[in-house]
Amino acid sequence: MIKGKDGSVIPKVVIERLPRYYRYFDWLEDQMEKISSKKLGELMGSSASQVRLDLSYFGDFGQQGYGYNVSKLKKELARILGIDRETHFIIVGAGNVGKALVRYNAFKDAGFKLMGVFDVKPSLIGQRINGVEIYHIDEVKDFVPRENIEIAVLAVPKEAANDVAKLLVKSGVKGILNFAPLDLDLPSDFPVENIHIIDKLLALSFIVKHKED
Amino acid sequence: MIKGKDGSVIPKVVIERLPRYYRYFDWLEDQMEKISSKKLGELMGSSASQVRLDLSYFGDFGQQGYGYNVSKLKKELARILGIDRETHFIIVGAGNVGKALVRYNAFKDAGFKLMGVFDVKPSLIGQRINGVEIYHIDEVKDFVPRENIEIAVLAVPKEAANDVAKLLVKSGVKGILNFAPLDLDLPSDFPVENIHIIDKLLALSFIVKHKED
């Protein structure tokens, strides 16, 4: 449970929308000085009142009759999201998905520093991808506290995902970004975000096949 | 707008949950013959009434006092999601993310057949990844109708994403799975599902940093 400025609990959907607000302010910064909640709502496919309510959890940003100061709010959102600090993370699983994520440069721009990659395959251990070393998963228990790792990106096969996730939690990881195609069996209050690629593709395919023209 | 069995519009969130139901029934199939909506709700972190309401959009599956027949419902959901047919798709962008997706074998298991990869880089054109050829994006307009492509996975840089998306729509693609870190500027009724990796990571990081123990 995370509480907002006024003491009320911030709904998880609102937290999940926050990075999207940041993206819009980042994009708007070159184009305008200020923006109204109405205009922002239109751009984002939402309503003025939704925008005002969402942002009000994080601070008192808007001004009646003026709107939001774009570059100021962008900076505020960067601070709130922790983009201005460095967050240490690891990637677990050096298969196709894991390897692609190691090479994904957007992490750095968002304030995330990749400290290591973990796998079990002997031929991979000690290799480097993009300058980052691959370690054996057995080393993760010492690595996490030593390197101050907050987040693990989980990109292992489905069959191994729950065991590895439990090991990561035990090692002191505080949150998991899960790419394995299942819901992890962890305590319900442990922070997990899922990226289920096939679920998204199936939902899209369903919509495409059933859409009425 | 997609209408359910009883003629009412199926909310998008319900469609997006459908693949998750399929995953659970697929997993449950080896373990039990039938399951109650209460038990299924517990497993999925939801309620019995939510489960019953969600599934009721797609058919009359449950039986009062018996529950759901697991293997029968799994087959029904596979049919509804189109897993039992073959859906042709393409990947646009052969960078790190695109290449990893070409090698991602889970697409095939879910009924999706990768017909081609598209890029603009001269050195890539004509190469093959995992047996699939890379074509120049200029060829996509002929390729989509000829190869009966329904879905495009968009994995190009942010700066190119909108132009490429518009070209794909013009070429006859029916839906886009978007990995580029922006919201595509397409007609609001065109089917798009977004996988915004950095948004997910930022939301997770926010939760980790603000969680009260």
Side-chain angles (χ1 to χ4, degrees), chain B residues 66-158:
Chain B
Y66 173 85
Y68 298 106
N69 177 316
V70 173
S71 81
K72 199 175 144 198
L73 190 39
K74 183 200 151 179
K75 272 196 204 81
E76 270 300 302
L77 292 178
R79 190 188 58 74
I80 289 166
L81 285 168
I83 293 174
D84 57 345
R85 287 167 287 162
E86 204 174 64
T87 300
H88 289 190
F89 79 109
I90 57 174
I91 292 174
V92 184
N96 291 324
V97 175
K99 269 183 204 149
L101 292 170
V102 176
R103 297 196 184 96
Y104 192 52
N105 293 319
F107 289 132
K108 208 175 144 190
D109 298 335
F112 295 88
K113 187 171 182 192
L114 179 59
M115 302 301 286
V117 179
F118 291 82
D119 206 294
V120 288
K121 213 174 166 188
S123 62
L124 291 172
I125 314 303
Q127 281 197 33
R128 282 175 178 272
I129 314 174
N130 237 19
V132 181
E133 189 165 346
I134 305 179
Y135 302 91
H136 193 279
I137 188 71
D138 286 348
E139 294 186 52
V140 83
K141 270 187 106 162
D142 294 328
F143 193 93
V144 167
R146 191 179 70 227
E147 301 294 339
N148 199 14
I149 304 300
E150 289 187 54
I151 286 171
V153 175
L154 190 60
V156 301
K158 187 170 68 175

Side-chain angles (χ1 to χ4, degrees), chain B residues 3-132:
Chain B
K3 286 181 180 162
K5 285 281 167 192
D6 64 352
S8 59
V9 174
I10 311 177
K12 197 171 180 223
V13 289
V14 175
I15 294 173
E16 289 180 338
R17 279 200 285 267
L18 196 56
R20 188 160 174 255
Y21 281 104
Y22 176 75
R23 270 199 280 120
Y24 274 82
F25 280 100
D26 186 39
W27 170 63
L28 287 167
E29 200 181 19
D30 299 330
Q31 303 178 53
M32 53 187 78
E33 242 176 75
K34 58 181 184 172
I35 190 165
S36 67
S37 49
K38 184 162 176 276
K39 178 80 186 147
L40 185 57
E42 281 167 16
L43 281 173
M44 296 181 71
S46 161
S47 69
S49 57
Q50 183 72 70
V51 164
R52 285 196 298 267
L53 179 62
D54 281 357
L55 293 175
S56 72
Y57 282 105
F58 304 97
D60 201 12
F61 302 123
Q63 244 179 294
Q64 191 84 41
Y66 173 85
Y68 298 106
N69 177 316
V70 173
S71 81
K72 199 175 144 198
L73 190 39
K74 183 200 151 179
K75 272 196 204 81
E76 270 300 302
L77 292 178
R79 190 188 58 74
I80 289 166
L81 285 168
I83 293 174
D84 57 345
R85 287 167 287 162
E86 204 174 64
T87 300
H88 289 190
F89 79 109
I90 57 174
I91 292 174
V92 184
N96 291 324
V97 175
K99 269 183 204 149
L101 292 170
V102 176
R103 297 196 184 96
Y104 192 52
N105 293 319
F107 289 132
K108 208 175 144 190
D109 298 335
F112 295 88
K113 187 171 182 192
L114 179 59
M115 302 301 286
V117 179
F118 291 82
D119 206 294
V120 288
K121 213 174 166 188
S123 62
L124 291 172
I125 314 303
Q127 281 197 33
R128 282 175 178 272
I129 314 174
N130 237 19
V132 181

Side-chain angles (χ1 to χ4, degrees), chain A residues 20 24 87 183 199 209, chain B residues 20 23-24 87 183 209:
Chain A
R20 188 158 174 256
Y24 275 81
T87 300
D183 299 330
D199 282 18
K209 287 183 167 75
Chain B
R20 188 160 174 255
R23 270 199 280 120
Y24 274 82
T87 300
D183 299 330
K209 287 182 167 74

Side-chain angles (χ1 to χ4, degrees), chain A residues 19-20 23-24 80 87 96 100 103 107 174 176 181 183 189 194 196 199-201 206 208-209 211, chain B residues 19-20 23-24 80 87 96 100 103 107 174 181 183 189 193-194 196 199-201 206 208-209 211:
Chain A
R20 188 158 174 256
R23 270 198 280 119
Y24 275 81
I80 289 166
T87 300
N96 290 325
R103 297 195 185 96
F107 288 132
K174 302 261 181 7
I176 292 178
D183 299 330
D189 64 338
N194 292 299
H196 287 148
D199 282 18
K200 286 278 190 180
L201 187 59
F206 177 86
V208 163
K209 287 183 167 75
K211 201 181 156 223
Chain B
R20 188 160 174 255
R23 270 199 280 120
Y24 274 82
I80 289 166
T87 300
N96 291 324
R103 297 196 184 96
F107 289 132
K174 302 261 181 6
D183 299 330
D189 65 337
E193 291 284 327
N194 292 298
H196 288 148
D199 281 18
K200 286 277 190 181
L201 187 59
F206 178 86
V208 163
K209 287 182 167 74
K211 202 181 155 224

Side-chain angles (χ1 to χ4, degrees), chain A residues 115-174:
Chain A
M115 302 300 287
V117 180
F118 291 82
D119 206 295
V120 289
K121 213 174 167 190
S123 63
L124 292 172
I125 315 303
Q127 282 196 31
R128 281 175 179 271
I129 315 174
N130 238 18
V132 181
E133 189 165 345
I134 306 178
Y135 302 92
H136 193 279
I137 188 69
D138 287 349
E139 294 186 50
V140 83
K141 271 187 105 160
D142 294 329
F143 194 92
V144 167
R146 191 179 70 229
E147 302 293 340
N148 199 14
I149 304 300
E150 289 188 56
I151 286 172
V153 174
L154 190 60
V156 301
K158 185 169 73 175
E159 297 68 29
N162 271 318
D163 286 346
V164 176
K166 286 184 169 90
L167 174 63
L168 291 169
V169 175
K170 222 187 267 176
S171 304
V173 158
K174 302 261 181 7

